[in-house]
Amino acid sequence: MNTVSIGEGFGRVNLIGEHLDYNGGHVLPLQIKNSIICEIVENKNSESISIVSDKYKDSLTVKKLEKRNNWADFVIGSCLYFDKKFSVKINNISIDIKSSLPLGVGLSSSAAITVSTLKSLSCYFQKNLADEDLINLAFKVENDFVGVGGGVMDQFVSVLGNQYEALFLDTFNKNYELIPIFKDYQFLIIDSNTQRILSDSEFNKKKELCLNAAKKMKIQNLCAKTKIDENDIQLLSDEELNVSKHVIEENLRVVKAAQYLKDNKAEEFGKLMTESHISLSQHYRVSTDNLNKLVDLSNSFGALGSKLTGAGFGGAIVTLVKKELVEELKKYILDGYPNAKFI
Ligand code: GLA
């Protein structure tokens, strides 16, 4: 056992392919430099776990690994699932969470906190946690313990991605490929700086619509289809039809976008980003006025394309712009949207 250990979990920006990872589709996220760091220190004279975070004022004392319905659930869940897997007794440690990743803006802080805690635990208890096990465990903490049901994209890119290559992942069979990003263009993240209304229930509701639609069409998941035919239209409710349209078309867009990235075709890639945003706004209905405004501003400045990133309901957009124009774009955005923050 180590007496001090540190684990780091990175955030991500999803370049294209939203709401596909729980529908068996393709995604194209990129790891970002912002991360969450979890430090574990032995606390010999204690029978409990103490948890502190630089982002939240409260410090918690945990005697039982049970859900508290707050931010610490990601840490508590990680301890519980790690304990289940390795049968270690976790009861006399202090856990310190530090974050350079803005929370709740769609850059995957949930996966980052879970991955960092699990990495730190495996180092502290000197247990070998293979990448695949780390991804699966982090996924289970979020889905089964905390109860927000996304797919496996965030955990995957946090563990296996890097800042220079996008991770092209088929979430159905978990095959993946790393593709270098454009040299002359930057994926700039712009935070709308408005509280994200990621009601977990809204997210889960969208997921349920997708699962129901797939069931009605008798397919394993929505991405098993490449188009919706007349028969499907009769079967589905309006809401189911809308989410299905987004998912099926977005999946085709991601495959094209990955090829454009390989072929260094930035303009074509940018167009697909904007198409993705329009579909997220009109079909999947997870955009907001602020996100739409940022996308419009960025595109009217001359970015190649822009879209919301992550689940939506607020948060941030990602825009593709020539590197030499980044500073000018920032000024332009601040003129039209003074609250914007650049990440
Ligand atoms: C959230 C989830 C991800 C993914 C995105 C939407 O970030 O955690 O798994 O579903 O939304 O693409």
Side-chain angles (χ1 to χ4, degrees), residues 165-289:
E165 294 168 306
L167 186 130
F168 179 41
L169 169 68
D170 180 339
T171 62
F172 183 66
N173 58 21
K174 311 283 190 294
N175 288 341
Y176 72 95
E177 192 184 344
L178 290 162
I179 308 175
I181 52 175
F182 300 114
K183 280 201 186 70
D184 302 332
Y185 293 86
Q186 184 175 330
F187 288 106
L188 178 71
I189 303 168
I190 310 174
D191 179 6
S192 67
N193 204 5
T194 44
Q195 178 98 48
R196 190 164 65 145
I197 341 143
L198 175 56
S199 51
D200 302 346
S201 56
E202 268 297 308
F203 187 97
N204 288 338
K205 195 181 143 208
K206 297 285 176 193
K207 184 176 176 183
E208 202 159 311
L209 284 171
C210 293
L211 300 182
N212 282 343
K215 214 168 165 185
K216 284 190 183 170
M217 293 188 281
K218 297 197 171 58
I219 46 176
Q220 197 173 350
N221 57 58
L222 284 182
C223 292
K225 265 192 175 292
T226 50
K227 74 179 201 356
I228 297 191
D229 50 44
E230 271 308 310
N231 208 17
D232 303 326
I233 297 175
Q234 305 306 321
L235 286 173
L236 304 178
S237 71
D238 287 351
E239 274 187 307
E240 287 164 353
L241 187 60
N242 271 326
V243 294
S244 303
K245 264 192 203 149
H246 167 75
V247 169
I248 292 168
E249 289 168 9
E250 178 86 346
N251 194 35
L252 303 176
R253 272 192 289 272
V254 186
V255 176
K256 272 198 214 159
Q259 192 57 47
Y260 288 149
L261 189 56
K262 285 183 196 166
D263 297 344
N264 200 28
K265 292 189 169 162
E267 274 186 27
E268 287 84 346
F269 191 101
K271 278 191 193 131
L272 291 178
M273 289 172 73
T274 304
E275 278 179 29
S276 165
H277 182 78
I278 293 169
S279 173
L280 284 161
S281 171
Q282 294 178 0
H283 297 320
Y284 218 77
R285 304 202 175 145
V286 289
S287 189
T288 63
D289 291 347

